[in-house]
Amino acid sequence: MKNDLRERREAAGMSQADLAAAVDVTRQTINAIERERYDPSLELAFQLAAHFECRIEDIFTPE
Amino acid sequence: MSTTTTRFDPGTYKRATVGLSLLAAVALAAGTVLQRPFVGIGIYVLALGTVFALPAVTETRIYDERDDELMGRASATTLTLFGWLSALVYPSLVALSATGQFSWGPASSAVAFATAGLYGTLGLVVLYYRYR
């Protein structure tokens, strides 16, 4: 699924490890989501949206 | 009271897990072959015990939902592969047995029953998750 997670993370001045720690997943998972090789669970998508104070559909766009 | 924890690199932990799991399997097999079963079992228990203990002593997030999904897909693929192979192999063996070109021995019977047990268990687990 297309997403702008990398742009949002970099705009927030966070590393992948920082974001991973904030939403309690591994850095590899954040990396895989950013590279669009993994679609997060609904739970993780909500956590990411809450972290960036936006809606899930602001981050993720169905192809 | 505070507890001391160590930070492991997840990659290092995963490599250690694979290495220790292989060591456990090899130790069990070698112990059997070399007629030192309790030495093999001892190494097996130590190696696997270390594998299960490591996550408890690290603050680092090692496995997450992505690992769960990967394991689920790998398990499903493995079961499907073995399912299709079983669907081809066992009827063939039954046919060969009926024509006298194959006879069921203890090993082949054990594998057949183990396979049936595996898929029977899978069916029960599916029913459990469907109706729980």
Side-chain angles (χ1 to χ4, degrees):
Chain A
M1 194 178 290
K2 290 194 176 303
N3 67 80
D4 66 353
L5 191 63
R6 182 186 299 275
E7 290 79 3
R8 286 175 184 274
R9 175 179 60 76
E10 288 175 348
M14 299 178 83
S15 67
Q16 288 183 341
D18 293 336
L19 181 56
V23 294
D24 196 30
V25 294
T26 62
R27 186 196 60 77
Q28 289 87 345
T29 292
I30 298 298
N31 182 54
I33 294 169
E34 288 185 355
R35 292 169 64 198
E36 296 172 7
R37 294 187 61 185
Y38 175 70
D39 291 335
S41 66
L42 197 53
E43 184 182 5
L44 178 54
F46 269 109
Q47 285 179 300
L48 289 165
H51 180 81
F52 290 111
E53 296 180 337
C54 63
R55 299 174 306 164
I56 290 174
E57 54 266 46
D58 294 333
I59 303 175
F60 297 96
T61 309
E63 292 179 70
Chain B
M1 193 178 94
S2 65
T3 55
T4 305
T5 54
T6 312
R7 287 195 73 83
F8 290 104
D9 169 58
T12 302
Y13 174 85
K14 287 178 181 177
R15 283 189 293 274
T17 297
V18 171
L20 286 167
S21 300
L22 285 173
L23 173 67
V26 169
L28 203 59
T32 305
V33 171
L34 300 173
Q35 297 186 331
R36 296 282 187 277
F38 293 110
V39 174
I41 290 168
I43 295 170
Y44 175 89
V45 168
L46 278 174
L48 279 193
T50 306
V51 166
F52 289 118
L54 274 174
V57 297
T58 178
E59 292 175 332
T60 308
R61 191 75 151 95
I62 295 165
Y63 296 114
D64 66 8
E65 63 173 41
R66 186 163 154 263
D67 298 290
D68 293 341
E69 192 204 45
L70 190 151
M71 186 59 72
R73 283 188 181 189
S75 301
T77 303
T78 303
L79 283 169
T80 302
L81 178 67
F82 273 79
W84 280 109
L85 286 173
S86 300
L88 293 170
V89 168
Y90 289 114
S92 305
L93 291 180
V94 170
L96 288 171
S97 176
T99 57
Q101 296 177 66
F102 173 78
S103 58
W104 291 94
S108 53
S109 296
V111 171
F113 282 117
T115 304
L118 174 70
Y119 286 96
T121 305
L122 175 65
L124 289 173
V125 172
V126 168
L127 288 173
Y128 168 76
Y129 283 118
R130 183 180 296 274
Y131 296 110
R132 68 174 175 169

